[in-house]
Amino acid sequence: MDTAERVLAYGGGSLDRAGPLRTDPTRLGALLTESTTVLLPLWRDRCLVDGHGPIRLSAERAALVRSAVGETVFLGLDGEAAVFAADLSALPERSAVEMAGAVRSVDVRALVGRIEPGDASVLAYARGLLHWHRQQRFCGTCGAPAVAGGGGHLRTCTGTECGRLLFPRIEPAIIVLVEAPGRSGRCLLARHAGAAEDAYSTLAGFVEIGESLEDAVRREMGEEAGVTVTDVTYQGSQAWPFPAGLMVGFRATATSDAVRVDGEELLEARWFTRAELRDRVASGRPLGRVDSIDHRLLTDWLEED
């Protein structure tokens, strides 16, 4: 089974995003008061948790949170239950934790593996959308305040001569497992600036305006590692709302063994055999973040031998 057929962390959730409801403020207002409705509170991109996991507020406490924060965003429907999120970032952390009935705040990425994949998907979705709202308080064209609408999925400039509609932006990036030419069974991993001495991962980079995903693969591999690649093949994609990414995975084949790192983003790059990577795993060194498509690209490659 290839990467594209598997569900990666932060994707594949069963939540119905119910797009048509976003344009019905009367219905959304009614849903907010229903007893089955769930409200997810976050604080500065962090989940609020108790001893059982992420807090899911309903009824009385949800009303208290809504009165404190004002705005909520509509995430969708979980069966018949509506799911909203609220941002408590304007409060001190302790106040936010107490208001939600939580015990602490935690990065959603630290919860992966301890909560259901669908729950991780919804929390990451909420995190990304709430982060965008905090960063898009004003219109980038005229500077006037922007107000939320569309169930939290757009903001509208209040400038009398502007009125621009502002939508959440996605920042696509490519991530690539590069194989050596021929049948040598080696892949290229690199140590990035700021990484630990023996921390290696696949190569990645943001897509620029005016280029395709495949163009971005070829450019980034050349710029960062001095590697020319062919046979660029899509492997799968992953939602990565930290804060607004979309990771698109590829494989590619280098035309030669020569490597020349840029010395800025990459400090070192080298070829690894499958046996070497298995030895690293056996010694307790992980193959990238376990919640990342980077990890999946490498584990899929190891399974092919």
Side-chain angles (χ1 to χ4, degrees):
M1 181 182 292
D2 66 27
T3 303
E5 294 176 324
R6 303 186 196 175
V7 176
L8 292 151
Y10 315 119
S14 60
L15 191 71
D16 175 4
R17 298 199 176 203
L21 283 178
R22 299 172 187 173
T23 59
D24 188 344
T26 301
R27 179 60 181 145
L28 289 180
L31 284 173
L32 273 170
T33 64
E34 290 189 2
S35 61
T36 56
T37 292
V38 172
L39 182 68
L40 304 177
L42 283 84
W43 179 83
R44 300 184 189 178
D45 298 334
R46 295 170 67 85
C47 303
L48 300 176
V49 302
D50 61 15
H52 303 288
I55 293 287
R56 296 168 63 90
L57 301 178
S58 57
E60 185 176 342
R61 193 175 288 273
L64 174 65
V65 168
R66 294 200 309 273
S67 67
V69 302
E71 294 180 359
T72 59
V73 298
F74 174 63
L75 301 179
L77 300 174
D78 184 1
E80 296 298 319
V83 182
F84 291 81
D87 194 348
L88 303 183
S89 296
L91 302 175
E93 182 177 11
R94 177 45 52 189
S95 298
V97 168
E98 291 177 354
M99 178 173 289
V103 296
R104 61 194 176 105
S105 68
V106 179
D107 190 329
V108 64
R109 288 171 287 190
L111 297 172
V112 171
R114 293 189 283 159
I115 61 176
E116 291 297 320
D119 293 337
S121 173
V122 173
L123 287 168
Y125 169 26
R127 182 193 194 278
L129 196 54
L130 293 175
H131 180 93
W132 172 73
H133 276 283
R134 290 203 310 278
Q135 302 301 312
Q136 192 67 79
R137 296 295 184 186
F138 299 91
C139 175
T141 299
C142 73
V147 296
H153 292 262
L154 68 85
R155 296 184 73 88
T156 303
C157 170
T158 58
T160 55
E161 297 183 4
C162 183
R164 180 182 173 191
L165 298 181
L166 308 168
F167 296 92
R169 300 300 181 189
I170 304 298
E171 301 168 354
I174 51 87
I175 183 165
V176 190
L177 187 142
V178 178
E179 296 183 274
R183 297 183 176 274
S184 63
R186 294 174 296 150
C187 73
L188 184 64
L189 301 182
R191 186 164 65 88
H192 293 72
E197 185 66 27
D198 194 40
Y200 292 90
S201 61
T202 53
L203 283 70
F206 285 104
V207 180
E208 294 186 353
I209 292 175
E211 68 180 357
S212 68
L213 296 170
E214 292 82 0
D215 289 339
V217 169
R218 289 184 280 265
R219 175 184 55 76
E220 284 285 350
M221 299 308 101
E223 288 179 357
E224 291 190 4
V227 174
T228 300
V229 297
T230 61
D231 302 323
V232 178
T233 307
Y234 173 75
Q235 298 294 298
S237 64
Q238 180 182 31
W240 194 256
F242 306 111
L246 173 66
M247 301 298 294
V248 187
F250 288 90
R251 278 197 195 178
T253 303
T255 59
S256 79
D257 291 343
V259 176
R260 185 186 67 256
V261 298
D262 62 7
E264 296 179 2
E265 293 190 45
L266 299 186
L267 303 180
E268 178 187 359
R270 51 166 290 207
W271 299 100
F272 286 83
T273 66
R274 287 185 172 89
E276 287 174 316
L277 289 187
R278 291 192 183 104
D279 286 343
R280 290 176 67 83
V281 173
S283 67
R285 288 171 288 185
L287 297 178
R289 290 187 59 97
V290 295
D291 61 338
S292 169
I293 192 173
D294 169 50
H295 181 78
R296 181 61 56 79
L297 289 171
L298 287 167
T299 53
D300 282 354
W301 184 72
L302 285 179
E303 289 174 3
E304 292 177 4
D305 186 23

